[in-house]
Amino acid sequence: MTVLILGGTSEAAALDQLLAEQAPEIRAIISLAGHTVDPRPSNLPVRIGGFGGVEGLRRYLVEEGIVAVIDATHPFAAIMPFHAEHACKAEGVPLLAIRRESWRPQDGDRWTCVPDIQAAAEALGPEPRRVFLTIGRLELPAFADAPQHRYLVRAIEPIGDRLPVSHADVILARGPFTAEDEEALMRREGVEVLVSKNSGGPATVGKLVAARRLSLPVVMVERPPKPDVETVEHIDQVLPWLVAQGLFVTERGV
């Protein structure tokens, strides 16, 4: 029995570990888009790169004998979740999406919510500011249209020439980050506004806590639309779902 995990999140990595420990008889394959050169280590076979659209994914499901697909892509994956929906529906393969809860503003937060990255760049306004970008390296080119700001960029990997502006400092780091460390960083760097994607989850929520403590404005980019498929929030709901599909039975029956 082969299960395909569409990865890209900490949930995918944790599911990798869970299946290796609790269901070693399941053959699971993790598929990564390849945006990160140095992804998290995996206990399971990993494939890198796209499938070639819906038809390519359909062929892969058939050729590999995939009996279920777990969509654990990043909350900002805009294309693959829809490809998974269409391909699984066409081939009759059960599909489950793991979607972590979005962050929600708390008392004291100063959020400006925008629909996309371009709107986030525009929301910074014309006056020069010290801007902390925590959006990953792929989205940086949009901020080249606002070169008046002094940027602090945090990314997992070098950003190359993705942000061709005069003032851009780069921090290479992978979360989780504590609120205390985030607050110290923002104070030290003189951050005046934070730009974040609404990815949810605990690993990087510390920056929002720090911004709240410092009364800093936050430009929050909302998630793209997702297909209407069966969804859970936590990886510990995956094995019971596989059982419910008649694909797997544990010694405890759950």
Side-chain angles (χ1 to χ4, degrees):
M1 185 179 77
T2 304
V3 173
L4 175 63
I5 302 171
L6 303 174
T9 59
S10 57
E11 286 85 355
L15 181 59
D16 163 3
Q17 183 70 27
L18 183 146
L19 291 179
E21 293 177 352
Q22 298 189 19
E25 60 270 49
I26 293 179
R27 176 178 180 254
I29 301 172
I30 292 185
S31 176
L32 301 175
H35 297 316
T36 301
V37 176
D38 184 24
R40 297 175 188 271
S42 173
N43 296 298
L44 303 175
V46 176
R47 69 172 301 281
I48 304 292
F51 293 93
V54 174
E55 292 305 313
L57 180 52
R58 289 182 63 181
R59 287 193 298 272
Y60 186 85
L61 296 179
V62 173
E63 291 170 359
E64 293 293 329
I66 303 297
V67 299
V69 174
I70 310 299
D71 175 7
T73 53
H74 191 274
F76 278 78
I79 297 175
M80 180 53 74
F82 287 95
H83 284 183
E85 177 197 27
H86 296 318
C88 287
K89 185 177 294 184
E91 298 301 329
V93 175
L95 170 64
L96 180 70
I98 303 175
R99 296 186 188 151
R100 66 177 76 138
E101 186 177 2
S102 299
W103 292 318
R104 298 178 182 178
Q106 307 293 316
D107 289 343
D109 283 336
R110 300 171 58 198
W111 288 14
T112 297
C113 296
V114 295
D116 53 40
I117 290 294
Q118 191 62 49
E122 295 170 358
L124 294 176
E127 294 300 318
R129 308 163 88 179
R130 179 60 158 164
V131 180
F132 187 15
L133 297 179
T134 62
I135 55 171
R137 62 189 178 92
L138 298 181
E139 308 282 13
L140 293 176
F143 294 88
D145 294 335
Q148 70 274 24
H149 303 297
R150 296 178 298 113
Y151 293 103
L152 176 64
V153 180
R154 184 163 64 202
I156 296 175
E157 295 170 349
I159 68 171
D161 59 357
R162 290 183 176 274
L163 186 57
V165 296
S166 300
H167 304 287
D169 301 313
V170 180
I171 299 173
L172 299 181
R174 189 195 296 265
F177 307 103
T178 68
E180 290 70 27
D181 287 344
E182 296 287 65
E183 182 176 353
L185 172 64
M186 293 182 193
R187 287 184 183 276
R188 183 172 65 250
E189 295 290 341
V191 171
E192 297 175 272
V193 58
L194 168 69
V195 180
S196 173
K197 294 178 175 180
N198 196 336
S199 299
T204 58
V205 72
K207 62 188 174 184
L208 302 180
V209 177
R212 185 184 311 132
R213 291 174 180 174
L214 297 172
S215 193
L216 294 179
V218 176
V219 178
M220 184 65 73
V221 183
E222 298 294 357
R223 299 178 182 183
K226 298 289 185 180
D228 184 15
V229 300
E230 190 169 357
T231 302
V232 295
E233 291 186 2
H234 305 289
I235 63 166
D236 57 8
Q237 297 170 277
V238 173
L239 283 180
W241 179 81
L242 290 172
V243 171
Q245 305 305 309
L247 300 175
F248 174 69
V249 178
T250 70
E251 293 181 357
R252 298 188 303 270
V254 296

